[in-house]
Amino acid sequence: MEGLNIGLDLLIVLVVAIAGGMLARLLRLPVILGYLVGGIIVGPFGFGLVQEAGVIDSLANIGVVLLMFAIGLEFSIKELLQMGKVSILGGIIQIVVTAGAGYALGQWLGLSIAASIFLGFIISLSSTMIVLKLLTDRGEIDTTHGRIMLGILLVQDISVVPMIVLVPALSGDASGIWMALGIALAKAVGFIGIMLAVGYWLMPWLLKKAAAQHTREIFLLTVIVVVFAAAYGTSQLGLSAAFGAFTAGLLISQSGFARQAFADILPLRDTFAALFFVSLGLLVNREYVLHNYDIIFGLVLVIIAVKFFIGSAITRVFGYGHKTVLMVGTGLINI
């Protein structure tokens, strides 16, 4: 009976995704908005139609992995290296400056020093899933501003590791923090080294063997195993699973099987991406929002203004034109 309930919840979520997406398109709005509103309506704080929100959330995280993998397939290592300066240096500057602004905002709100630092960490990050979904829907992944945003988002994903290491220090437990940071850095470097070796020697051979079977199912299963092995590996190392999936896609993009892998993975990516955004709507506590709307919307406006200014200014400093500056600033305002 439990499995049947989960199946019903999944059916409700998918129906809501279809209805919300169609309504959003009718109103000429991003389909993401329709997914989110649909999740709010059927979620525990709405009509309560979905009971297994945790299961839906777990399935939705697959959407993050598949989306990042598909994005990696559309890029090349050479393209990322060309954006290295603005992505890496600009991404680090964006994180530090935005975190500092978040800390100042927390102090102004009367939060403790630890809570203010934590608020700064949260504000400094943008949602990789939301940004890339919007860029994909608009066909702008391969544009200049799309590449810049992707590079900065990857830096943000990696920066989560030292943030997680630093969180215990905020509660007063700072023992061994430098060793923990060193270990985290070594894990990240080690994973990248292993993936490069696998991508150069093992990946082409494995994909060639799978394609030689002339069976679409075997090739697709092979690709999925590679994706989730990379995602699982990074998550076990304390890194972002999305980062591992993107790395796997980037390595496969260097082979002759990138186009076939992209075509096979596309339907799964879009289905689970819809689940992801509906699952976000399931988390929204309507009563809490209504009772705290003044501080919530005030914070939202301040965060949007601050992040837009920082993202735009950094892009401008690196010499990009007005359109790219505005697009990057707007794309990174979410948290």
Side-chain angles (χ1 to χ4, degrees), residues 205-269:
W205 174 84
L206 180 62
L207 293 176
K208 185 177 180 180
K209 286 290 184 182
Q213 306 304 313
H214 302 292
T215 304
R216 184 179 179 183
E217 288 82 358
I218 292 179
F219 183 82
L220 177 58
L221 287 172
T222 303
V223 170
I224 290 176
V225 167
V226 169
V227 175
F228 284 99
Y232 178 77
T234 49
S235 64
Q236 290 298 108
L237 292 174
L239 299 169
S240 166
F243 175 69
F246 175 81
T247 304
L250 193 63
L251 293 175
I252 292 179
S253 72
Q254 309 304 304
S255 70
F257 302 98
R259 185 167 298 179
Q260 182 179 350
F262 184 84
D264 288 346
I265 211 77
L266 192 60
L268 291 175
R269 182 202 72 178

Side-chain angles (χ1 to χ4, degrees), residues 44-87:
F45 304 104
F47 288 107
L49 299 179
V50 175
Q51 301 298 322
E52 298 289 343
V55 175
I56 300 299
D57 183 60
S58 298
L59 292 173
N61 286 328
I62 298 176
V64 180
V65 171
L66 294 177
L67 178 62
M68 289 301 294
F69 172 70
I71 298 300
L73 287 174
E74 296 184 271
F75 274 77
S76 69
I77 296 176
K78 181 180 179 181
E79 288 175 332
L80 284 183
L81 291 177
Q82 289 175 346
M83 311 300 297
K85 184 180 293 185
V86 64
S87 296

Side-chain angles (χ1 to χ4, degrees), residues 271-291:
T271 301
F272 283 100
L275 282 176
F276 173 82
F277 291 110
V278 175
S279 73
L280 288 184
L282 297 176
L283 300 176
V284 177
N285 187 330
R286 184 182 56 187
E287 293 299 321
Y288 184 85
V289 173
L290 292 176
H291 291 149

